[in-house]
């Protein structure tokens, strides 16, 4: 009786352990890293770390996982991987290597290792039903999901783009630097990386996420430090954050580096952003010749005055002093274009709406009022001689005209007033 209890207990333990082993095997997943480095792991086991004969098996694994969508003949595989070698019996040579590859995976505890590679009509291909995770595949899926969400949910799209780009740590299979067969695959993922970075930075610029823009530019430049488009976006973000000195230092460093390494001089967009840097560094000064020309132009029109932000600042200070001296009110009006959920609209729609709003302002305001486009989504108005109630009435009239004439329903015009004198 006691023996029966002991044997029954031992049998239960064996069954319990067997279930644990099977559950553990099911939870194991092959992890394959190809972007920036090649590494294959299963649990705490690393595959293909050895050199010598195992190196060829690793190269065969790279080829099969890179061409996982299509089976390939032994002759094509051998010619792609080892073109300098001749094989009297290519089919047998590949058959032996496939067997060794499966053995290697099995000894490392890879689930379903014997079924990892399929053979159909003499061609070999990766079994996509095998439980595995591939960084390049995950990177591609996240990039595609982000692109699909860009219009409907730009913030979620930006989050997915960032997760995708975190997976891209460098070129596809850098260990096969001089292998011709890997070039098309490497080019595909690199092009996808460039497009994804560009789309992400565009979203961040549209929604004024300049801190994230700086961070992601720095990560992308770590991978490709000679991409001029990335440097332009990086400089734009620095200027938007008011980091003018840092922007100038980065411009001087990178233009010098690109010229020394590639012999390429700064392009027109780079020269333009350098002028923007200099403009931010210099103190705004009034050019009296420009002022005279501006006065002449004012004599020709009965509409409100449209000027640049620097001139607007000057006129605002001038009007404030006159108001203090003559004791009459002056108010600023701020008009902002947003989406209904207070986000920054898409750049194409925003530009069109800003142009419509400018025409409405020039037609709706008095000859003595001053208007300036403050940034990509805002106009600032100088309204001399008006108290708060009168200023708000003017902005209400502008909003009404805009809502009546605006051709884009997703754009909302918001307004507020701020006293310049008297202070409240």
């Amino acid at each position: 009786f006691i023996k029966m209890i002991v044997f029954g207990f031992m049998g239960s333990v064996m069954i319990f352990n067997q279930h644990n082993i099977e559950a553990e095997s099911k939870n194991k997943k092959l992890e394959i890293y190809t972007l920036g480095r090649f590494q294959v792991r299963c649990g705490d086991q690393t595959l293909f770390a050895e050199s010598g004969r195992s190196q060829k098996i690793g190269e065969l694994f790279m080829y099969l996982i890179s061409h996982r969508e299509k089976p390939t003949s032994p002759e094509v595989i051998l010619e792609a991987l080892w073109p300098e070698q001749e094989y009297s019996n290519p089919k047998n040579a590949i058959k032996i290597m496939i067997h060794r590859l499966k053995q290697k995976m099995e000894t490392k505890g890879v689930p379903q290792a014997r079924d990892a590679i399929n053979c159909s009509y003499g061609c070999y291909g990766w079994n996509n039903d095998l439980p595995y995770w591939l960084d390049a595949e995950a990177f591609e899926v996240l990039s595609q999901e982000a692109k699909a969400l860009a219009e409907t949910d730009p913030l979620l799209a930006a989050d997915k783009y960032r997760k995708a780009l975190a997976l891209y740590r460098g070129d596809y299979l850098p260990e096969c630097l001089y292998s011709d067969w890997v070039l098309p695959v490497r080019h595909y993922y690199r092009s996808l990386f460039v497009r994804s970075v560009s789309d992400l930075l565009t979203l961040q610029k549209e929604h004024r996420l300049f801190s994230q823009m700086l961070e992601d530019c720095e990560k992308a430049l770590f991978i490709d430090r000679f991409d001029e488009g990335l440097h332009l976006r990086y400089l734009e973000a620095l200027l938007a954050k008011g980091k003018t000195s840092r922007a100038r230092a980065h411009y001087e460093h990178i233009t010098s580096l690109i010229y020394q390494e590639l012999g390429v001089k700064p392009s027109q967009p780079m020269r333009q952003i350098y002028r923007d840097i200099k403009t931010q560094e210099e103190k705004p000064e009034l050019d009296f010749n420009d002022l005279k020309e501006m006065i002449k132009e004012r004599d020709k029109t009965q509409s409100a005055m449209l000027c640049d932000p620097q001139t607007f600042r000057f006129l605002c200070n001038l009007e404030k002093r006159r108001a203090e001296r003559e004791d009459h009110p002056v108010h600023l009006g701020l008009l902002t274009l947003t989406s209904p959920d207070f986000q920054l609209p898409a750049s194409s729609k925003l530009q069109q709406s800003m142009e419509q709003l400018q025409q409405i302002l020039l037609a709706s305001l008095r000859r003595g009022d001053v208007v300036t486009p403050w940034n990509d989504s805002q106009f600032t108005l100088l309204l001399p001689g008006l108290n708060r109630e009168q200023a708000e009435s003017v902005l209400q009239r502008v909003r009404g005209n805009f809502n009546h004439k605006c051709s884009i329903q997703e754009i909302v015009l918001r307004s507020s007033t701020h006293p310049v004198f008297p202070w409240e």
Side-chain angles (χ1 to χ4, degrees), residues 382-394:
L382 178 61
L383 305 172
L386 300 184
N387 57 32
R388 179 182 287 276
E389 182 178 353
Q390 293 168 328
E392 290 177 349
S393 177
V394 170

Side-chain angles (χ1 to χ4, degrees), residues 70-122:
K70 183 177 69 174
T72 312
S73 67
E75 292 81 4
V76 172
I77 295 174
L78 292 174
E79 179 62 26
L81 292 176
W82 307 288
E84 71 285 352
Q85 297 182 25
E86 293 185 6
Y87 294 87
S88 58
N89 190 342
K91 293 181 180 179
N92 190 57
I94 284 294
K95 184 177 180 181
I96 292 172
M97 280 190 277
I98 292 290
H99 177 70
R100 289 174 179 165
L101 174 56
K102 290 181 177 180
Q103 278 188 327
K104 165 71 72 173
M105 295 172 67
E106 193 171 19
T107 57
K108 296 294 184 177
V110 176
Q112 305 173 35
R114 292 182 179 273
D115 302 320
I117 295 113
N118 293 326
C119 182
S120 177
Y121 299 100

